[in-house]
Amino acid sequence: MSAFGGLASSRLDNELVKKDKLAVQVSAGVQSLAQAGMVIVRAIVRPGVDEKIVEAKLDQMIADYLRTGPTADEVSRVATTQVSGTIGGLESVGGFGGKAVTLASGELYSNDPGFYKKELNALATMTPERARAAAQKWLSRPAYTLIVEKGEREGYEEAKAVAAAPATPAAPETPFKGTRGAMPGVADTGTTLQFPKVTRSRLSNGMELVYAQRTAVPVTQVSMVFDAGTAADVTGKLGTAGMTLSLIDEGTTTRDSIAMAEAKEKLGMQLGGGNSADRTTIGFTAPSANLTSATELFADILRNPSFDANELERVRGQVLTQIGQQRTQPQGLADMTLPPLLYGTDSPYAKLAAGAGDPAAVMSLKRDDLIAWRNAWLRPDKAKVFVVSDRPLAEVQAALNASLGNWQATGAAGTKSFPAQRATTAPKIVLVDRPNSPQSLIVAGQMTPVQAKSDTLAATTANTVLGSGFLSRINMDLREAKHWSYGARGGFQLMQNAVPYVINAPVQADKTGPAIASLREQINGFLGPNGVTPVEFRRSIDGETRQLAGTYETAGAVLAAMQSNDFLGRPDDYQATLPQKYRALTTAQLDAAARAAIDPNRFVYVVVGDAKVVRPQLDGLGLPVEVVSATPATAPTPAK
């Protein structure tokens, strides 16, 4: 059944999203449990479409699938994609992937840690008949349908204030009595780090190629980074950059969107991209055996996007839905409110407040707008290529040269203009009224004098004590000591022309004011008389150095580090030097760096919550309070 999710997702997406334009997104998958399993099909209905139509269409397509089964081409494409994903996932780390989880899952569910080999073989030898038989066995059973409708949010019983339970003294600790003996000591693994050698060369057209070799899995990851980003979005037409990126792989002059999706599946190729504040990234991951073909397809996407009118309307609907969702969520509302306060309305970084875009602008975008932005920003003279692969540099360079080596820029390139960096607006609290919100989201920020390309290690290490780690003072206070938050954190955002410090703390609604007071108390203490303690210093240095090997264990992490080093002007071997840099730091350096970077009296606070509950709590904090309404959740609906 594992093949069904990919087969159904591919067919449903092509039909409901791309052809009929009834849904914004469709997915299907098998959720396996030890003694049972579920096939789950999800569809996000396009605004203005009756969900009953989508439900009926899903029923019809599933019935057709049970009757006819998949084609041999569908099976081949999906099998290739899933095998590719499984192999690539073996390198993952953490709780949801990697070798350890793969072995443990096989042992738990199948009494065989090597069960993944059987799964891979089953995928590689899958036939249409076997896929259809499995579908008929499981999908012919009665189904449960859940429809989530948009409506007014009701109050939550859990959000009501409750009387604090009387404190109970902690039980005295007693020595543990067991058979294992003393816990083993912690090895000092943070003295060295083996980071792959990074080599720089150029393609035939002069585009820089930054390459590292990793042989853990036979997969190649390619990332093309353009000097663009949200800061390069079009003033007055915010959302142009995002719309361009969303449409770039939805068809070329030789392939429509469905043919493009099928071509990627045949190669086991995953394409991705996005806009950060300063950069636009488009890249792919593919089995190295398909490197040449994947690179050719990647070049077709970059060089020959069609921006088809029909696809534009479909993606427009998806983006408008995304905008509507952002404007109902606390984080989305905070993200819309904070940037102008931090950067000023005349800074290109203020465009970050638009999120996925301005709905009116997205509604009005034409094909020519996307072509113009692509021609100005997604061009070889603004790009660098970063590659991590098990294949040697010569082979990678040859593949890229064959498809991209003669790509030349034409026309005028886009430019970004930043005003002189300004201080954050005067300290205040902006309360975004979100009625019936069961909790409040506190986002506090200020501009710092830190420069992204300077040596920020002391400041960021000091912040592990204040805000970035689980054991940080902010989190331990709000979560562990006061139980007002599930988690709070703060950190520096290293951008090309600004480095703000931002705190994010969701808290229970009736403790919003006290939580801000507590944050201020922790920050003032840390930057004042209660700097980094010897225990915190040793824990931070040991933690940062000992996790380095795991941090850069995967090809994806190495690829991200290569891009970060390039963006921040760091040497290519920066990671290999980190253990020594951490060990050379002192407590005094951390305190000095934190105090030079952060001013406890210059934070501006954005609070997203229920004003009738929250406002009375804010009046005693000594800061001016400005109440604004949440942006309407509805966005214009495109014509069908």
Side-chain angles (χ1 to χ4, degrees):
M1 277 300 291
S2 63
F4 168 75
L7 288 164
S9 293
S10 176
R11 184 177 289 192
L12 293 174
D13 183 77
N14 287 344
E15 188 78 18
L16 284 172
V17 178
K18 290 185 168 66
K19 290 178 63 177
D20 293 344
K21 301 179 178 62
L22 296 174
V24 173
Q25 181 181 354
V26 182
S27 64
V30 179
Q31 186 176 38
S32 298
L33 302 173
Q35 301 297 326
M38 294 181 289
V39 178
I40 300 176
V41 179
R42 295 185 179 92
I44 299 177
V45 179
R46 191 168 183 249
V49 174
D50 186 347
E51 65 271 11
K52 294 295 184 183
I53 296 176
V54 176
E55 182 181 1
K57 184 71 173 181
L58 285 171
D59 289 341
Q60 175 197 328
M61 293 188 68
I62 292 173
D64 289 344
Y65 185 86
L66 295 178
R67 185 176 65 257
T68 64
T71 67
D73 185 61
E74 284 179 312
V75 169
S76 175
R77 295 198 317 262
V78 171
T80 301
T81 298
Q82 292 201 356
V83 168
S84 173
T86 300
I87 293 173
L90 290 174
E91 200 189 27
S92 300
V93 294
F96 299 100
K99 300 180 182 69
V101 173
T102 299
L103 296 174
S105 297
E107 177 66 23
L108 176 64
Y109 297 123
S110 306
N111 296 316
D112 179 7
F115 186 72
Y116 73 96
K117 297 178 182 178
K118 298 176 182 178
E119 288 185 309
L120 288 174
N121 182 66
L123 282 169
T125 59
M126 182 60 62
T127 64
E129 292 75 21
R130 285 171 53 202
R132 179 176 175 236
Q136 288 176 331
K137 178 179 180 180
W138 299 106
L139 298 184
S140 58
R141 299 183 176 192
Y144 174 77
T145 301
L146 172 67
I147 298 177
V148 180
E149 297 180 341
K150 184 171 63 176
E152 290 298 320
R153 190 169 45 251
E154 298 179 355
Y156 290 75
E157 289 295 322
E158 294 87 345
K160 294 182 178 179
V162 295
T168 56
E173 292 188 7
T174 57
F176 175 75
K177 295 180 180 180
T179 59
R180 294 185 177 181
M183 292 290 289
V186 179
D188 191 1
T189 59
T191 56
T192 60
L193 174 66
Q194 298 298 320
F195 192 80
K197 179 184 177 182
V198 176
T199 303
R200 289 179 179 257
S201 59
R202 292 190 180 273
L203 302 186
S204 302
N205 62 351
M207 194 187 308
E208 188 167 16
L209 169 61
V210 188
Y211 163 88
Q213 186 172 33
R214 280 185 58 86
T215 58
V217 291
V219 171
T220 294
Q221 296 189 35
V222 175
S223 184
M224 185 169 289
V225 180
F226 299 88
D227 179 13
T230 302
D233 209 351
V234 180
T235 303
K237 294 183 178 181
L238 297 182
T240 304
M243 281 282 286
T244 305
L245 214 58
S246 296
L247 273 160
I248 195 103
D249 68 329
E250 293 291 349
T252 66
T253 54
T254 58
R255 297 177 175 91
D256 63 17
S257 63
I258 294 178
M260 177 61 68
E262 292 176 350
K264 287 185 288 187
E265 286 182 353
K266 286 179 181 178
L267 297 172
M269 177 182 176
Q270 298 293 326
L271 191 89
N275 287 306
S276 67
D278 299 293
R279 296 289 184 265
T280 296
T281 303
I282 307 173
F284 71 87
T285 299
S288 295
N290 295 334
L291 173 60
T292 299
S293 297
T295 304
E296 290 173 354
L297 186 61
F298 184 55
D300 190 29
I301 291 168
L302 291 172
R303 302 179 68 170
N304 307 306
S306 62
F307 299 117
D308 180 81
N310 289 327
E311 300 301 334
L312 171 59
E313 293 310 314
R314 176 176 63 80
V315 172
R316 192 196 309 276
Q318 292 176 330
V319 173
L320 289 172
T321 300
Q322 182 183 357
I323 292 171
Q325 291 172 338
Q326 287 177 338
R327 297 184 176 201
T328 66
Q329 301 301 317
Q331 190 65 59
L333 293 169
D335 291 343
M336 292 171 59
T337 307
L338 186 62
L341 301 174
L342 282 180
Y343 312 113
T345 56
D346 59 341
S347 170
Y349 290 146
K351 298 173 184 178
L352 293 166
D358 172 67
V362 170
M363 269 298 300
S364 66
L365 285 174
K366 303 291 191 297
R367 179 176 182 270
D368 288 346
D369 296 317
L370 309 186
I371 293 173
W373 194 87
R374 177 260 178 186
N375 290 344
W377 296 101
L378 305 185
R379 41 193 289 142
D381 56 341
K382 282 188 169 290
K384 292 184 180 182
V385 189
F386 297 82
V387 179
V388 177
S389 176
D390 66 310
R391 308 308 303 155
L393 173 59
E395 184 176 329
V396 170
Q397 190 169 22
L400 290 168
N401 265 328
S403 54
L404 291 166
N406 63 350
W407 186 24
Q408 297 295 330
T410 58
T415 59
K416 291 177 280 188
S417 177
F418 286 85
Q421 184 170 307
R422 45 149 270 176
T424 305
T425 189
K428 64 178 178 179
I429 299 172
V430 178
L431 172 57
V432 182
D433 184 17
R434 186 175 184 263
N436 296 322
S437 190
Q439 65 177 13
S440 297
L441 174 62
I442 301 169
V443 179
Q446 67 170 260
M447 196 65 66
T448 75
V450 175
Q451 299 296 312
K453 291 190 176 182
S454 64
D455 185 356
T456 61
L457 189 65
T460 54
T461 304
N463 188 54
T464 63
V465 177
L466 176 62
S468 69
F470 181 85
L471 297 176
S472 69
R473 294 189 188 181
I474 289 174
N475 190 63
M476 293 298 288
D477 179 57
L478 291 181
R479 173 183 164 124
E480 299 299 306
K482 296 185 169 65
H483 312 297
W484 295 345
S485 174
Y486 186 74
R489 59 189 300 111
F492 296 96
Q493 297 179 0
L494 302 181
M495 298 155 67
Q496 187 168 324
N497 292 280
V499 180
Y501 185 87
V502 178
I503 296 170
N504 193 290
V507 299
Q508 64 187 68
D510 63 309
K511 297 299 182 182
T512 307
I516 292 178
S518 186
L519 282 170
R520 297 172 77 184
E521 179 182 357
Q522 290 296 326
I523 295 167
N524 277 284
F526 179 74
L527 299 175
N530 304 318
V532 179
T533 68
V535 171
E536 289 172 325
F537 175 78
R538 181 48 49 200
R539 185 177 66 215
S540 295
I541 298 301
D542 286 346
E544 293 299 307
T545 54
R546 288 169 178 166
Q547 72 180 359
L548 286 172
T551 298
Y552 301 109
E553 182 180 354
T554 68
V558 171
L559 187 69
M562 291 161 60
Q563 295 174 68
S564 178
N565 290 342
D566 186 82
F567 175 69
L568 297 173
R570 293 169 174 168
D572 289 328
D573 66 345
Y574 177 76
Q575 279 66 31
T577 67
L578 276 175
Q580 293 74 31
K581 290 181 182 294
Y582 277 120
R583 297 297 182 189
L585 291 172
T586 65
T587 303
Q589 285 177 309
L590 301 194
D591 285 337
R595 291 164 185 164
I598 306 170
D599 184 339
N601 299 312
R602 286 184 42 233
F603 279 100
V604 60
Y605 294 84
V606 172
V607 178
V608 181
D610 190 339
K612 66 180 181 294
V613 175
V614 173
R615 175 61 195 265
Q617 304 173 44
L618 306 180
D619 290 333
L621 295 175
L623 291 173
V625 179
E626 175 185 343
V627 182
V628 299
S629 297
T631 303
T634 57
T637 301
K640 296 181 182 178

